[in-house]
Amino acid sequence: MSYRGMLSTSDSSSTELRGQDSDSFAGSLMSHPHAKDQSILGSKGSKFSHTPNAAPVGGASRLQVPSNRCNCDITESPEDENVDSEVELTNEISAPYEVPQFPIEQIEKKLQIQRHLNEKQAGPRTVTASTSLSTHRESSSSNEGRDSFIDTEKNDADINFQRVSISGEDTSGVPLEDLERASTLLIEALRLRSHYMNMSDQSFPSTTARFLKTVRLKDRFDNVPAKAVPESHLRPSQMKLTNPWNMEFPPDENYVIKPVNGVFHVYENEESSEFKFEYPDMNQFVNDMQVMCNMIADGPLKSFCYRRLCYLSSKYQMHVLLNELRELAAQKAVPHRDFYNTRKVDTHIHAASCMNQKHLLRFIKKTLKNNASEVVTHTNGQPMTLAQVFQSMNLTTYDLTVDMLDVHADRNTFHRFDKFNSKYNPIGESRLREVFLKTDNYLNGKYFAQIIKEVAFDLEESKYQNAELRLSIYGKSPDEWNKLAKWAIDNDVYSSNIRWLIQIPRLFDIFKSNKMMKSFQEILNNIFLPLFQATARPSEHPDLHRFLQYVIGFDSVDDESKPENPLFDNDVPRPEEWTYEENPPYAYYIYYMYANMTVLNKFREKRNMNTFVLRPHCGEAGPVQHLVCGYLMAENISHGLLLRKVPVLQYLYYLTQIGIAMSPLSNNSLFLNYHRNPLPEYLARGLIISLSTDDPLQFHFTKEPLMEEYSIAAQVWKLSSCDMCELARNSVMMSGFPHPIKQQWLGPVYFEDGIMGNDITRTNVPEIRVAYRYETLLDELSNIFKVNQTCGTSTDH
């Protein structure tokens, strides 16, 4: 290993450094406010002095200033002996046990000046066999196929920090045959993900897409364009802050929408042929799933990916050791911005539990005091007021306590999802959940809207915290969408700090056992047909059209640990044929959500409307095949705990930069103890991780649950300020907030790769960290693709 920028010093040889010309060095020296007679005084009177031809004293290494006209060291002549200088590199804090006389800020500033002078003096260096100070771009693992990917205007390699690079012919640590096989399989997996993302108008990282373009495609992926950020994500937002529900309505069109094998097709009229909205059919999906499942079980590939992941962890630890102080200094140099006032998004939170338990208790007491005589429900055909509901439970406002609410998860909910779900019922009463935490009830969700608006007010007061709340659509009836949209608009449930995701519980078996529906197709009809109709004829569904402007995607929720057959083959029954009491497997739900969303996105894009993404709960528990579904079809996922057991998938999630919203406090109460959570490991390796709360009602105590999540993670895992700001930036990047808002929060070109896309004055993430992440990703991709290109070239010859 070689570390760029470290000084190699000895008594007998001069130190060779890289830098700029001597004129710029002299200019910076003389312009320093403490410069006197070409010397800079340091602590205790020490100085960098211009001493003609002085010999090194006490082993201090001598810096030779390069000429402006040549790359070699200057040979001193008698005429310019008085001009050349020597800089004495002395230890300013002379002994480790000595108490420094200056504050740490002054010491850091002085050392920074010294480094700056060294860089200005240094010229092009020669790399010897003993001290190879190679730069990141000189690494043999990134030589081939990388120059075309480097931005010449603002190069990440220009950022001054210590880089770790590997030299030698073989940098992968595995035999060449295994490397070639791993390269072929990984590129095939990357192409699969790129195909599914581009087809559904979801995002795929532009860095990986550019590498994929170098591979000659000879199959069905030939004509699929690679888009870094879908155009629909970059359209100007139609929001008007004066009235968020006031927006333009496209003209109605008489399109005909019909389901075919569980996926809705759009026809121009009853007689015409359908629009060619492409989506992967079930046979293609089953084949791709089998390919991916074979990959994750491949022995040599598992070994390769595990080694690369271990290398990424070690490389990050080395980066932190070498650059932690530089990152901190970069953050200190930014005025106004710190972790508290960087934008952060709670990327996984459920609306029904977005308040903490004390907030819910206060709200219930306040409502019972002010609206005791309001009719809130019907029981056995009889109307009941709020006061009567509590009288039936023999409770008064004085009796209510947080302990009596019993909504907080405890040790009894560990691996007991059924007990956890019962915690949504305050005081164990489903009636109170219906009255206070439902959008569709006797009061049309009046109380629920009020408490959501109170949570939104708290977010607006904090200014820098935002949330993506999940609202439920069960698929029980076709009017659920219109009722939900009417609830939002009638109660004016809007905040600039909130966006909505629609969660779809996997509950077909319950609906079927209760004789509520006959086949799985009915759920798909109730979920997706209203969306197609509102897209074709928005004036007939005005509330839904307005509400959908603030919906960013779909989530799939339920207990993943339920027993199921995770794999199925091509003869699986289609939705209209699925009439069994048994619940379809996870992959079945996700595929039909993805396929219908793909057609809907293309239809809405044609109508110049916003599109949606798929962000399911995935990898919290259950079979690892759930994560394969997420890899193929989801833009981001929630949880992802099981990636720690599948190195191939974890490495692929890294290469494709799939966002993972992790909730360690939630996992601690349900599936995985906090100290075993893989979040710090994922973060070190470079996966796109964000912190989220999941259910503040069950897991958090404070008024700011997201900050509580960050603070506990920082304490337990000793996260630095840079780590926390990186998590916050990731949360905004993977969120569904509109493009103009992200530009305001992250910078005008936040979607660019590397440091081009980072504005430290808004994100407080040092460019050192961003450059490290980008260069490391480039190295990993180069390591894979150069083998494939070499093999392809040798095959052609």
Side-chain angles (χ1 to χ4, degrees):
M1 290 191 181
S2 58
Y3 308 105
R4 179 178 183 259
M6 294 182 66
L7 300 180
S8 174
T9 61
S10 64
D11 293 343
S12 59
S13 63
S14 297
T15 301
E16 293 170 335
L17 294 172
R18 175 181 243 161
Q20 301 177 7
D21 57 69
S22 55
D23 291 338
S24 61
F25 160 65
S28 62
L29 187 67
M30 293 304 298
S31 62
H32 194 277
H34 300 292
K36 293 182 180 179
D37 299 326
Q38 298 183 352
S39 66
I40 298 179
L41 294 178
S43 61
K44 302 182 182 179
S46 63
K47 63 182 179 180
F48 300 110
S49 60
H50 276 36
T51 308
N53 237 1
V57 179
S61 53
R62 178 176 175 178
L63 295 177
Q64 296 176 333
V65 182
S67 167
N68 289 334
R69 299 179 298 277
C70 64
N71 293 331
C72 57
D73 292 337
I74 296 176
T75 303
E76 296 171 343
S77 61
E79 288 79 15
D80 47 15
E81 276 185 353
N82 294 327
V83 178
D84 285 346
S85 64
E86 174 195 21
V87 178
E88 297 176 1
L89 300 180
T90 58
N91 187 0
E92 301 297 335
I93 305 175
S94 58
Y97 52 83
E98 185 174 343
V99 179
Q101 298 181 4
F102 299 93
I104 184 66
E105 290 81 7
Q106 294 184 23
I107 296 173
E108 283 297 318
K109 185 175 180 181
K110 178 171 58 60
L111 294 177
Q112 186 177 358
I113 293 171
Q114 180 176 327
R115 288 194 297 268
H116 182 66
L117 292 174
N118 292 342
E119 292 165 5
K120 291 289 185 181
Q121 274 191 313
R125 62 185 180 195
T126 57
V127 181
T128 64
S130 59
T131 57
S132 174
L133 304 178
S134 59
T135 66
H136 186 79
R137 252 193 299 178
E138 292 165 344
S139 167
S140 62
S141 66
S142 57
N143 269 343
E144 301 181 24
R146 182 170 159 182
D147 288 337
S148 59
F149 304 128
I150 301 296
D151 189 340
T152 56
E153 293 183 0
K154 188 177 180 183
N155 195 338
D156 291 71
D158 293 335
I159 300 300
N160 180 30
F161 68 99
Q162 308 286 353
R163 288 167 167 85
V164 179
S165 61
I166 306 298
S167 61
E169 293 182 0
D170 180 18
T171 61
S172 63
V174 298
L176 181 60
E177 295 78 9
D178 289 351
L179 179 59
E180 292 174 355
R181 175 178 172 78
S183 172
T184 302
L185 292 175
L186 290 172
I187 290 174
E188 175 64 19
L190 295 177
R191 288 159 62 183
L192 281 174
R193 164 112 179 140
S194 174
H195 178 62
Y196 276 80
M197 290 298 99
N198 290 321
M199 192 179 291
S200 60
D201 203 26
Q202 299 183 87
S203 63
F204 186 80
S206 57
T207 305
T208 311
R210 291 200 302 272
F211 274 91
L212 281 174
K213 284 181 180 179
T214 65
V215 181
R216 283 169 298 189
L217 308 179
K218 300 179 181 179
D219 55 15
R220 57 193 164 98
F221 305 107
D222 274 347
N223 300 317
V224 179
K227 296 185 291 183
V229 182
E231 293 178 2
S232 57
H233 295 190
L234 298 180
R235 292 192 193 115
S237 175
Q238 297 182 4
M239 296 178 301
K240 293 185 176 68
L241 295 179
T242 53
N243 183 0
W245 309 113
N246 183 19
M247 57 192 61
E248 297 179 0
F249 277 64
D252 291 355
E253 300 287 351
N254 293 319
Y255 296 115
V256 176
I257 297 109
K258 294 180 182 178
V260 178
N261 291 327
V263 182
F264 285 94
H265 289 211
V266 181
Y267 303 86
E268 198 159 351
N269 52 54
E270 289 285 355
E271 301 172 354
S272 68
S273 61
E274 64 177 286
F275 285 128
K276 297 298 182 183
F277 292 153
E278 185 186 8
Y279 66 93
D281 60 26
M282 175 60 81
N283 293 336
Q284 179 182 328
F285 167 67
V286 169
N287 293 335
D288 293 338
M289 274 285 291
Q290 290 173 348
V291 168
M292 290 297 303
C293 290
N294 289 336
M295 267 189 216
I296 65 176
D298 184 82
L301 183 59
K302 284 200 293 186
S303 296
F304 174 80
C305 294
Y306 176 74
R307 285 173 176 270
R308 298 313 298 174
L309 290 170
C310 291
Y311 166 72
L312 289 172
S313 296
S314 301
K315 185 177 182 180
Y316 176 76
Q317 296 303 324
M318 186 66 71
H319 168 80
V320 170
L321 287 172
L322 294 173
N323 297 290
E324 189 171 24
L325 291 179
R326 294 185 183 213
E327 290 179 342
L328 181 59
Q331 288 184 309
K332 287 182 177 180
V334 178
H336 174 68
R337 195 67 61 190
D338 55 36
F339 168 71
Y340 287 95
N341 59 14
T342 56
R343 307 285 178 169
K344 49 194 78 69
V345 180
D346 195 341
T347 48
H348 172 206
I349 177 172
H350 300 276
S353 56
C354 65
M355 71 299 293
N356 62 65
Q357 53 184 345
K358 185 65 176 177
H359 187 171
L360 179 61
L361 177 66
R362 276 201 313 268
F363 182 82
I364 291 175
K365 284 186 172 185
K366 178 180 66 177
T367 306
L368 183 57
K369 180 179 179 180
N370 298 332
N371 303 88
S373 59
E374 188 170 20
V375 176
V376 295
T377 186
H378 272 75
T379 303
N380 299 324
Q382 297 296 320
M384 292 186 69
T385 65
L386 190 59
Q388 291 172 334
V389 168
F390 278 89
Q391 285 171 8
S392 67
M393 295 183 287
N394 295 320
L395 290 175
T396 65
T397 54
Y398 183 77
D399 298 325
L400 289 175
T401 64
V402 162
D403 294 331
M404 183 168 287
L405 276 186
D406 194 27
V407 292
H408 223 252
D410 52 31
R411 66 189 68 178
N412 296 316
T413 59
F414 197 70
H415 283 282
R416 288 295 303 274
F417 211 84
D418 54 336
K419 287 190 173 183
F420 168 71
N421 278 335
S422 68
K423 294 291 184 179
Y424 275 93
N425 300 324
I427 323 179
E429 287 284 339
S430 60
R431 277 184 301 178
L432 292 184
R433 179 180 183 181
E434 180 187 348
V435 169
F436 289 102
L437 301 177
K438 291 287 188 181
T439 60
D440 181 19
N441 53 25
Y442 184 84
L443 294 174
N444 296 318
K446 173 184 172 182
Y447 294 156
F448 188 43
Q450 289 176 3
I451 197 168
I452 291 287
K453 291 168 79 171
E454 289 182 6
V455 171
F457 178 78
D458 290 339
L459 291 174
E460 291 166 4
E461 283 288 297
S462 72
K463 184 178 178 181
Y464 298 100
Q465 297 179 47
N466 307 272
E468 297 179 320
L469 300 182
R470 269 76 170 164
L471 294 170
S472 294
I473 291 288
Y474 294 91
K476 292 188 294 184
S477 65
D479 61 350
E480 281 186 85
W481 276 106
N482 287 324
K483 288 181 178 178
L484 181 62
K486 182 176 174 56
W487 166 82
I489 293 173
D490 287 353
N491 294 286
D492 194 25
V493 188
Y494 167 81
S495 169
S496 58
N497 294 61
I498 287 178
R499 288 297 179 273
W500 307 105
L501 274 96
I502 302 302
Q503 63 181 21
I504 301 171
R506 301 186 293 274
L507 300 177
F508 171 76
D509 53 340
I510 295 177
F511 299 152
K512 177 66 176 174
S513 62
N514 291 331
K515 311 296 183 186
M516 297 176 65
M517 53 188 58
K518 296 179 181 178
S519 71
F520 189 76
Q521 181 64 50
E522 293 184 42
I523 280 190
L524 296 177
N525 291 344
N526 295 336
I527 292 172
F528 287 103
L529 185 57
L531 301 179
F532 279 94
Q533 292 172 341
T535 302
R537 293 175 288 279
S539 65
E540 295 181 9
H541 309 271
D543 289 346
L544 183 54
H545 173 70
R546 293 186 179 98
F547 177 67
L548 288 177
Q549 301 300 314
Y550 303 103
V551 173
I552 60 178
F554 299 97
D555 192 354
S556 178
V557 298
D558 199 15
D559 181 9
E560 287 190 71
S561 62
K562 285 181 179 178
E564 66 171 36
N565 179 17
L567 294 176
F568 47 83
D569 49 26
N570 291 327
D571 60 359
V572 65
R574 298 307 185 253
E576 63 273 10
E577 301 167 351
W578 194 287
T579 57
Y580 318 118
E581 297 281 344
E582 181 184 357
N583 206 29
Y586 179 91
Y588 195 88
Y589 274 97
I590 298 296
Y591 167 74
Y592 282 107
M593 288 178 63
Y594 167 85
N596 282 288
M597 188 194 75
T598 297
V599 177
L600 179 63
N601 278 351
K602 292 184 179 297
F603 186 30
R604 291 181 67 83
E605 191 173 17
K606 179 181 176 65
R607 300 276 285 151
N608 199 32
M609 298 178 182
N610 64 304
T611 58
F612 308 114
V613 298
L614 183 60
R615 292 168 54 180
H617 283 51
C618 185
E620 184 179 19
V624 296
Q625 284 81 3
H626 295 184
L627 288 164
V628 176
C629 294
Y631 174 79
L632 288 175
M633 295 181 289
E635 183 173 90
N636 301 325
I637 65 168
S638 299
H639 294 301
L641 296 178
L642 293 180
L643 282 176
R644 72 189 192 279
K645 298 183 177 180
V646 195
V648 176
L649 274 180
Q650 188 181 151
Y651 192 56
L652 285 170
Y653 270 67
Y654 166 70
L655 293 177
T656 51
Q657 299 287 279
I658 299 174
I660 306 173
M662 302 194 72
S663 310
L665 284 179
S666 167
N667 303 144
N668 183 62
S669 294
L670 285 172
F671 290 107
L672 190 68
N673 288 330
Y674 202 97
H675 69 280
R676 295 181 57 202
N677 197 287
L679 186 148
E681 192 174 61
Y682 291 175
L683 179 64
R685 289 170 175 174
L687 279 76
I688 303 299
I689 305 300
S690 68
L691 270 174
S692 56
T693 57
D694 197 354
D695 297 285
L697 182 63
Q698 277 81 24
F699 305 123
H700 298 80
F701 290 88
T702 65
K703 187 179 179 181
E704 294 185 319
L706 185 59
M707 295 300 289
E708 184 179 344
E709 195 82 45
Y710 273 95
S711 64
I712 294 175
Q715 292 289 344
V716 173
W717 293 316
K718 297 179 173 61
L719 300 181
S720 68
S721 173
C722 181
D723 297 331
M724 295 173 72
C725 291
E726 185 180 14
L727 289 169
R729 178 176 183 261
N730 287 346
S731 72
V732 177
M733 292 287 287
M734 64 189 280
S735 74
F737 279 84
H739 173 61
I741 291 181
K742 287 186 178 181
Q743 285 183 309
Q744 177 188 344
W745 292 351
L746 300 180
V749 288
Y750 69 90
F751 46 83
E752 294 287 346
D753 297 325
I755 61 173
M756 283 290 293
N758 182 56
D759 182 356
I760 188 173
T761 63
R762 306 186 198 214
T763 65
N764 205 37
V765 179
E767 292 191 340
I768 292 175
R769 176 64 62 90
V770 177
Y772 166 77
R773 295 295 191 197
Y774 181 54
E775 292 172 3
T776 302
L777 178 62
L778 283 182
D779 272 353
E780 293 302 311
L781 290 168
S782 299
N783 195 35
I784 294 166
F785 279 83
K786 80 172 180 184
V787 176
N788 184 274
Q789 291 169 351
T790 303
C791 295
T793 303
S794 61
T795 303
D796 292 342
H797 290 307

